[in-house]
Amino acid sequence: MEKRVRVDCRKHPSAQGCTIAISGTPDEVAELGWLHAKLQHAHKDDEEKGIKDWIRSNAEPARD
Ligand SMILES: [Zn+2]
């Protein structure tokens, strides 16, 4: 099984006080995390590559 990773908004405090955590394969987490950043954290379309790169480098191993 492909390794799964996790990103947790609680570890990256934001104006929204978001408590969402996303886990899955690195590709899934980057894609959903990007959509989440755009919808909930007001990121713009032209930030897509930077946000996905940030997610990939900040994701930690998932324990579930
Ligand atoms: Zn969030």
Side-chain angles (χ1 to χ4, degrees):
M1 185 178 154
E2 190 172 357
K3 102 184 148 125
R4 295 173 74 252
V5 299
R6 165 187 173 95
V7 288
D8 188 338
C9 273
R10 288 172 295 184
K11 295 187 176 168
H12 307 285
S14 60
Q16 294 85 348
C18 183
T19 63
I20 291 285
I22 299 168
S23 56
T25 66
D27 284 350
E28 289 169 337
V29 170
E31 186 64 33
L32 188 57
W34 156 239
L35 293 174
H36 171 73
K38 197 160 64 157
L39 288 171
Q40 301 295 324
H41 298 287
H43 287 285
K44 302 285 183 273
D45 282 336
D46 62 4
E47 296 178 274
E48 178 171 353
K49 179 166 188 336
I51 296 281
K52 285 182 174 176
D53 286 348
W54 185 92
I55 291 168
R56 287 175 187 278
S57 52
N58 284 274
E60 54 195 59
R63 291 181 302 272
D64 56 353

